[in-house]
C-alpha cells in the first residue's frame, strides 16, 4: 500500500520517455504524423494520383495505427485536399495529387523555419556522409557498377520527376552499398521528408552541377577513398541545404513585399484563421 | 608442421565442418524451392487459352506458407517471381510472402510500375539474373534487402523454365543474423580470427570483432579455404555455397 502511494510521486524523466518513445508515439502527434507521412508519400508519387486507399481497417493495420488515429489522419488529408472520399457503390477514399506541385512546395517551404532546414541538412549530412564513407570501404565492384548506372540514369533524366526518382534511387543505393539496413532506411525516410523540396525551381545548369558532383562521388567510392567520399557527400548536402535556405529566405522578402498589397494580406489572414479555427474546434471537441 | 601449414589445415577442417553444418539446411530450403518451381511449371502448362493470370498463382500459396512454417527462424520470406510479360494481367508479378513479427504470413507489396519512384526492377537483381544466366541454384548476397525485409539477407533462388522459356524464379530470403547462429558455433572454437565470406569476399560471419558482417575481407588476408573443396566433389558441385570461403583475416 505504502509502495503504491510512493509510486504516485515517481515519474520517468522527460529524456527517458523520449528515448523510449519515438516522436510519432506521442498520442497527440500520431494522427498528425500519419497525415504528414501519407501526404509526403502522395507528393512523392509513392501513392499515385486517383489511386484508391485500402479500407480503413486494412490501412490502419498496414500503418500499425488504430482506426481512430487513421480516421483523424484522413480527415486532415481531406482538409488539405489530398484525398477525397466518395460515398456509395463505387465509394472509398481516393488520392488527389496536388495539380501544381510547385505551389504546394512553396507553401511547404514556408512552414519550415531556416532552423528546421539547417537541422534537416545536418541530419542528411550525417546519414549521406557515413553512407558514402562505408560504401567506399565495403562496396563490391558490381555494386559500384550499379551506382554508375544510377548516375547515368540521373544524367539522362529530363523531367523533374525523372530526376527526383533517379537521385532518390542513387542515395538509397549508396546506403545499401554501405551494407547497412538502418542507413538505407534512414536515407529513404529523409528523402521522403526533403526529396520534393530539392527539385524546387532547379534549372538545367544546377542539374548539370548536381550530376557532376554525383559522378565524382561515385568515382571516389569506386576508388575506395572513404574520407574523400564522406567529404564529397557532405559537401553535396551542404550545397543543397544552402540552396533551400536561400529559397526560404526569398519567401520572407516576397511575403514582406506582398504584405503591402491588400490581396495577399487577406490570403495570409484567411490561412491563419482557418488554422486557428481548427485548433479551436479540436480543443472544444476534446 | 610449420605454423602456416597448421593454420591452413585448421581452416580446411573448419571449412568442412561449416559445409556439413550449412548445406543440409540450405538443401532443404532449395528442395522447397524446387517444389514451388515444379508447381509453377504445372500451373503454366495447364493454363487454358491465351495464358496465365495472377489468380492462377493462388495455387502456390499453400506451398509458400508450408515452407515459411517449416523453415521458421531461417527463411524470412519466400515465393515465386514471374518473368517479365509472362502474366496477362500484370507485366511483372511477385507471389511473395514474408513472416511478420507476429508470425503470420504477410503478402509483399512492391511497386512494379516502371514509372514509379520506388519501382522494384527485380529482373536486374542478382537473385533473378544469376539463376536465369546459369540455369542453376543460386545464392545471392549478403545485401541490404530494402524492398522486403529491410534487413541484411542472402537470397536463395532457382530458375523456373518451361521447356526452354524462362517463366520466373522461385526464391527464399535468409537473414544473415539467422545464418550466424549456425556459423559462429563452428568459428568460435578456432584460435585464429576467421571469417566466412561469399565468393566475392563479402563477410557473412566472423569470430573477429575487426571483421563484421558486410565488411570486405582484407586483400592481404593470410590464407583461405573454399568450402566446396572441403567436401566431396559430387556434393560440392551440387551446392550453391561451395564457392563461399573461410578466410584467415589476421593482418600482419
Amino acid at each position: 500500500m505504502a509502495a503504491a502511494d510512493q509510486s504516485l510521486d515517481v515519474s520517468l524523466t522527460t529524456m527517458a520517455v523520449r528515448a523510449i518513445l519515438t516522436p510519432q508515439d506521442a498520442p497527440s502527434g500520431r494522427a498528425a504524423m500519419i497525415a504528414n507521412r501519407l501526404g509526403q508519400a502522395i507528393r512523392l508519387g509513392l501513392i499515385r494520383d486517383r489511386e484508391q486507399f485500402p479500407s480503413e481497417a486494412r490501412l490502419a493495420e498496414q500503418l500499425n495505427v488504430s482506426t481512430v488515429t487513421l480516421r483523424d489522419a484522413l480527415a486532415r488529408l481531406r482538409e488539405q485536399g489530398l484525398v477525397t472520399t466518395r460515398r456509395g457503390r463505387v465509394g472509398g477514399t481516393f488520392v488527389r495529387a496536388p495539380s501544381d506541385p510547385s505551389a504546394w512546395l512553396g507553401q511547404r517551404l514556408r512552414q519550415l523555419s531556416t532552423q528546421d532546414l539547417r537541422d534537416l541538412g545536418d541530419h542528411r549530412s550525417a546519414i549521406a556522409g557515413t553512407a558514402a564513407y562505408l560504401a567506399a570501404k565495403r562496396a563490391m565492384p558490381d555494386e559500384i557498377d550499379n551506382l554508375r548506372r544510377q548516375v547515368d540514369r540521373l544524367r539522362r533524366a529530363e523531367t523533374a520527376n525523372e530526376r527526383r526518382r533517379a537521385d532518390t534511387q542513387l542515395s538509397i543505393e549508396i546506403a545499401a552499398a554501405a551494407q547497412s539496413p538502418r542507413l538505407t532506411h534512414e536515407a529513404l525516410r529523409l528523402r521522403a521528408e526533403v526529396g520534393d523540396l530539392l527539385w524546387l525551381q532547379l534549372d538545367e545548369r544546377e542539374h548539370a552541377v548536381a550530376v557532376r558532383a554525383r559522378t565524382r562521388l561515385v568515382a571516389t567510392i569506386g576508388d575506395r577513398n572513404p574520407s574523400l567520399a564522406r567529404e564529397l557527400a557532405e559537401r553535396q548536402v551542404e550545397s543543397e541545404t544552402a540552396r533551400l535556405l536561400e529559397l526560404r529566405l526569398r519567401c520572407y522578402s516576397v511575403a514582406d513585399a506582398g504584405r503591402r498589397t491588400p490581396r495577399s494580406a487577406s490570403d495570409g489572414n484567411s490561412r491563419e484563421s482557418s488554422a486557428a479555427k481548427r485548433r479551436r474546434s479540436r480543443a472544444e471537441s476534446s | 608442421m610449420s605454423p602456416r601449414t597448421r593454420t591452413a589445415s585448421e581452416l580446411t577442417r573448419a571449412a568442412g565442418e561449416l559445409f556439413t553444418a550449412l548445406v543440409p539446411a540450405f538443401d532443404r530450403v532449395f528442395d522447397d524451392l524446387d517444389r514451388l518451381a515444379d508447381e509453377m511449371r504445372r500451373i503454366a502448362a495447364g493454363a487454358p487459352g491465351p495464358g496465365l493470370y495472377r489468380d492462377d498463382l493462388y495455387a502456390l500459396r499453400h506451398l509458400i506458407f508450408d515452407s515459411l512454417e517449416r523453415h521458421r527462424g531461417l527463411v524470412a520470406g519466400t515465393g515465386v517471381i514471374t518473368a517479365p510479360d509472362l502474366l496477362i494481367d500484370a507485366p511483372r508479378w511477385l507471389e511473395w510472402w514474408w513472416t511478420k513479427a507476429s508470425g503470420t504470413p504477410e503478402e509483399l507489396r512492391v511497386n512494379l510500375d516502371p514509372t514509379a519512384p520506388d519501382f522494384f526492377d527485380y529482373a536486374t537483381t542478382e537473385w533473378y539474373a544469376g539463376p536465369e544466366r546459369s540455369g542453376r541454384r543460386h545464392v545471392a548476397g549478403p545485401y541490404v534487402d530494402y524492398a522486403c525485409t529491410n534487413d541484411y539477407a542472402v537470397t536463395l533462388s532457382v530458375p523456373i523454365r518451361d521447356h526452354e522459356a524462362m517463366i520466373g524464379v522461385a526464391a527464399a530470403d535468409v537473414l544473415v543474423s539467422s545464418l550466424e547462429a549456425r556459423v559462429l558455433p563452428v568459428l568460435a572454437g578456432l584460435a585464429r580470427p576467421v571469417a566466412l565470406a561469399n565468393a566475392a569476399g563479402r563477410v557473412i560471419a566472423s569470430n573477429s570483432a575487426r571483421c563484421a558482417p558486410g565488411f570486405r575481407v582484407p586483400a592481404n588476408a593470410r590464407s583461405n579455404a573454399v568450402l566446396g573443396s572441403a567436401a566431396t566433389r559430387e556434393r560440392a558441385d551440387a551446392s550453391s555455397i561451395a564457392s563461399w570461403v573461410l578466410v584467415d583475416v589476421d593482418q600482419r
Side-chain angles (χ1 to χ4, degrees):
Chain A
M1 205 55 205
D5 284 345
Q6 265 174 25
S7 73
L8 290 175
D9 299 328
V10 178
S11 68
L12 297 176
T13 64
T14 306
M15 196 187 273
V17 170
R18 198 176 300 134
I20 295 161
L21 301 179
T22 52
Q24 62 260 33
D25 289 330
S28 63
R30 204 156 166 81
M33 185 277 293
I34 292 289
N36 198 12
R37 298 268 170 98
L38 276 170
Q40 286 170 1
I42 290 170
R43 284 161 190 135
L44 269 182
L46 296 178
I47 310 173
R48 313 301 293 280
D49 192 19
R50 287 193 283 274
E51 190 173 322
Q52 182 171 11
F53 271 177
S55 71
E56 283 184 356
R58 176 70 188 136
L59 190 56
E61 190 201 330
Q62 280 199 295
L63 300 178
N64 201 18
V65 294
S66 70
T67 42
V68 178
T69 305
L70 181 75
R71 247 172 247 150
D72 190 351
L74 289 178
R76 287 161 192 258
L77 288 177
R78 225 169 279 132
E79 227 172 276
Q80 293 170 33
L82 285 171
V83 303
T84 51
T85 301
R86 278 182 240 145
R87 313 226 165 264
R89 211 153 40 85
V90 286
T93 299
F94 295 84
V95 172
R96 214 169 63 184
S99 52
D100 179 8
S102 68
W104 173 79
L105 279 174
Q107 193 189 331
R108 161 118 196 273
L109 193 62
R110 278 187 202 92
Q111 289 165 354
L112 295 167
S113 68
T114 53
Q115 198 287 128
D116 289 335
L117 287 171
R118 196 272 297 151
D119 202 30
L120 182 59
D122 293 349
H123 192 179
R124 291 185 59 225
S125 171
I127 300 299
T130 303
Y133 176 85
L134 293 175
K137 279 181 113 120
R138 297 176 182 165
M140 291 294 175
D142 59 325
E143 287 163 329
I144 292 164
D145 285 345
N146 176 43
L147 295 181
R148 289 201 186 98
R149 276 197 301 275
Q150 299 297 342
V151 176
D152 285 342
R153 200 174 140 211
L154 177 65
R155 184 177 298 120
R156 285 195 312 269
E158 281 172 8
T159 67
N161 233 349
E162 284 168 356
R163 287 171 184 174
R164 185 182 69 194
R165 227 177 283 148
D167 201 41
T168 299
Q169 194 63 27
L170 175 64
S171 63
I172 290 162
E173 297 282 357
I174 290 174
Q179 311 299 308
S180 168
R182 279 176 186 250
L183 287 180
T184 309
H185 179 74
E186 204 55 14
L188 180 62
R189 208 192 57 70
L190 282 170
R191 266 303 156 138
E193 204 175 328
V194 74
D196 38 10
L197 283 179
L198 293 180
W199 283 268
L200 194 60
Q201 298 169 19
L202 196 70
D203 63 26
E204 289 306 311
R205 195 193 55 83
E206 286 169 316
H207 173 67
V209 169
V211 170
R212 260 203 307 283
R214 280 149 183 79
T215 307
R216 180 152 182 237
L217 172 62
V218 168
T220 306
I221 290 171
D223 291 344
R224 306 215 172 285
N225 187 339
S227 311
L228 183 57
R230 180 197 290 277
E231 198 188 314
L232 292 175
E234 287 172 353
R235 231 186 277 160
Q236 258 173 50
V237 174
E238 247 168 62
S239 73
E240 284 167 3
T241 303
R243 193 174 159 272
L244 287 181
L245 283 171
E246 258 168 47
L247 286 173
R248 180 65 188 92
L249 290 170
R250 220 180 289 162
C251 296
Y252 278 108
S253 47
V254 169
D256 282 345
R259 205 161 287 156
R260 282 175 225 123
T261 74
R263 198 200 144 111
S264 18
S266 78
D267 275 350
N269 285 339
S270 72
R271 226 187 348 261
E272 261 166 44
S273 72
S274 86
K277 219 184 296 166
R278 206 173 70 188
R279 268 197 301 278
R280 220 179 17 255
S281 80
R282 200 158 291 138
E284 279 161 10
S285 69
S286 64
Chain B
M1 206 191 259
S2 76
R4 190 156 205 162
T5 339
R6 196 159 55 235
T7 304
S9 71
E10 224 179 54
L11 265 188
T12 311
R13 184 151 26 85
E17 262 182 71
L18 266 187
F19 196 78
T20 316
L22 290 178
V23 162
F26 273 77
D27 280 353
R28 278 193 294 274
V29 176
F30 272 122
D31 289 346
D32 276 7
L33 293 182
D34 286 343
R35 267 192 285 277
L36 257 180
D38 286 344
E39 183 67 9
M40 177 67 191
R41 253 188 300 273
R42 200 187 59 74
I43 293 170
L52 278 179
Y53 290 87
R54 274 182 302 192
D55 288 2
D56 295 325
L57 305 188
Y58 285 3
L60 295 167
R61 288 187 182 176
H62 70 281
L63 285 178
I64 292 172
F65 297 162
D66 283 355
S67 188
L68 283 176
E69 184 57 40
R70 196 164 23 247
H71 303 291
R72 186 178 285 258
L74 184 67
V75 169
T78 188
V80 162
I81 300 89
T82 61
D85 298 320
L86 175 80
L87 300 184
I88 288 170
D89 55 347
R92 294 177 180 79
W93 191 248
L94 293 87
E95 187 62 42
W96 186 273
W97 293 73
W98 56 289
T99 312
K100 279 204 295 190
S102 60
T104 52
E106 170 86 3
E107 191 172 11
L108 176 67
R109 285 156 202 274
V110 288
N111 204 331
L112 297 170
D113 174 354
T115 64
D118 57 341
F119 169 50
F120 184 47
D121 188 10
Y122 60 71
T124 62
T125 63
E126 190 202 335
W127 54 262
Y128 188 95
E132 182 180 32
R133 218 171 20 241
S134 69
R136 305 175 59 181
R137 289 179 170 185
H138 191 94
V139 179
Y143 66 101
V144 178
D145 172 28
Y146 57 79
C148 178
T149 56
N150 190 36
D151 212 328
Y152 206 48
V154 296
T155 300
L156 286 59
S157 55
V158 299
I160 314 175
R161 287 178 198 280
D162 185 20
H163 301 98
E164 277 313 290
M166 179 82 178
I167 60 174
V169 303
D173 283 343
V174 172
L175 300 189
V176 167
S177 46
S178 62
L179 269 186
E180 168 175 316
R182 287 155 204 263
V183 174
L184 285 188
V186 177
L187 301 191
L190 302 174
R192 304 199 55 82
V194 162
L196 173 67
N198 70 9
R202 166 149 294 139
V203 174
I204 297 156
S206 155
N207 65 359
S208 161
R210 278 177 300 164
C211 203
F215 283 28
R216 285 183 305 131
V217 293
N220 59 350
R222 247 171 214 273
S223 55
N224 62 58
V226 179
L227 252 55
S229 67
T232 64
R233 176 162 293 277
E234 190 186 328
R235 289 190 60 196
D237 283 349
S239 171
S240 48
I241 61 167
S243 62
W244 283 7
V245 284
L246 207 52
V247 187
D248 186 325
V249 291
D250 191 19
Q251 291 179 66
R252 287 144 295 173

